[in-house]
Amino acid sequence: EVQLVQSGAEVKKPGESLKISCKGSGYSFSDYWIAWVRQMPGKGLEWMGIIFPGDSDTRYSPSFEGQVTISVDKSTDTVYLHWSSLRASDTALYYCARRFSRYYFDSWGQGTPVTVSS
Amino acid sequence: DIQMTQSPSSVSASVGDRVTITCRASQGFTAWLAWYQQKPGKAPKLLIYSTSNLQSGVPSRFSGRVSATDFTLTISGLQPEDFATYYCQHSSGFPSFTFGPGTRVDIK
């Protein structure tokens, strides 16, 4: 069974750094792109960026380029989403998702809530 | 960039009803459209991809089609577990993934 398991909820202050994780299992981790998707409170879904674990090829949505960094550790089948300096507007639920059939996402993590507040 | 709109933004329906949700592209034509279901506190679930292909394990009461730039998701015979928010998702090519604003289906 394909599973993406994300790290737990985070509460941070503005200006702090944060790295959340998404661990894949049940499939060949290196062969599938993994995306990050943001869902702000009460809002819809926004694609942030995507990484190919096989060679770390990473692409970002123009809306998120420079705001976050996506990375991978193939030794642990884990993808990361990193902020160097959080803002209150980063408060949201973040999902990782596996790319399927080139244009879609067939498996999703359970979501990581991030709260940024002074 | 192509923008996606969904209508209605919300719909109230009863068990057994037929519900249709429309997603429209702002320009051009694309075959790369999917539908997701999201229940409160849960991750989205892929229902349909490439306009009309049912994802494995998804009940056949869900169907998708396209007419010009209007993509539709139809739920034929709404079940209690179908009350949720539905999102369309488009791709104009890799890597580009755009979600519609969502349609909430709740109990009348």
Side-chain angles (χ1 to χ4, degrees):
Chain A
E1 178 195 5
V2 174
Q3 279 198 310
L4 296 174
V5 178
Q6 298 184 226
S7 50
E10 301 276 0
V11 179
K12 292 288 190 179
K13 290 181 167 40
E16 292 186 332
S17 65
L18 174 65
K19 182 182 278 190
I20 62 174
S21 66
C22 169
K23 182 176 175 59
S25 63
Y27 71 100
S28 180
F29 181 76
S30 294
D31 292 343
Y32 289 81
W33 293 78
I34 296 290
W36 285 99
V37 176
R38 183 176 78 175
Q39 187 166 38
M40 299 181 77
K43 301 299 183 183
L45 304 166
E46 302 171 90
W47 171 68
M48 301 175 69
I50 194 167
I51 189 167
F52 187 68
D55 62 5
S56 299
D57 186 2
T58 308
R59 317 289 179 88
Y60 295 94
S61 161
S63 299
F64 292 92
E65 181 92 52
Q67 308 305 308
V68 295
T69 302
I70 297 172
S71 61
V72 63
D73 182 346
K74 285 199 297 183
S75 70
T76 59
D77 291 351
T78 303
V79 170
Y80 298 94
L81 179 64
H82 175 251
W83 294 261
S84 59
S85 180
L86 286 161
R87 307 172 185 177
S89 57
D90 292 319
T91 295
L93 183 57
Y94 294 88
Y95 291 103
C96 61
R98 189 181 78 160
R99 192 186 87 160
F100 161 75
S101 190
R102 194 168 174 82
Y103 300 116
Y104 317 111
F105 305 112
D106 67 339
S107 295
W108 295 66
Q110 82 276 21
T112 296
V114 173
T115 302
V116 183
S117 175
S118 55
Chain B
D1 286 352
I2 294 179
Q3 302 299 318
M4 307 303 291
T5 57
Q6 282 185 240
S7 61
S9 57
S10 66
V11 58
S12 295
S14 301
V15 172
D17 283 354
R18 178 185 178 96
V19 172
T20 297
I21 299 167
T22 299
C23 181
R24 179 173 293 165
S26 60
Q27 58 180 295
F29 172 81
T30 176
W32 315 122
L33 190 117
W35 291 95
Y36 298 83
Q37 175 194 67
Q38 187 179 33
K39 296 181 180 179
K42 299 294 186 182
K45 173 187 174 183
L46 178 64
L47 299 176
I48 288 173
Y49 63 95
S50 296
T51 302
S52 59
N53 292 282
L54 206 61
Q55 174 67 343
S56 175
V58 174
S60 59
R61 62 181 179 273
F62 292 93
S63 63
R65 58 176 295 176
V66 62
S67 176
T69 58
D70 286 0
F71 296 83
T72 57
L73 170 70
T74 298
I75 310 171
S76 300
L78 200 66
Q79 296 299 301
E81 60 268 29
D82 300 336
F83 292 97
T85 298
Y86 293 85
Y87 294 94
C88 61
Q89 178 245 314
H90 149 81
S91 179
S92 58
F94 183 82
S96 171
F97 308 93
T98 304
F99 293 89
T103 295
R104 189 177 71 199
V105 178
D106 57 28
I107 301 171
K108 183 184 287 184

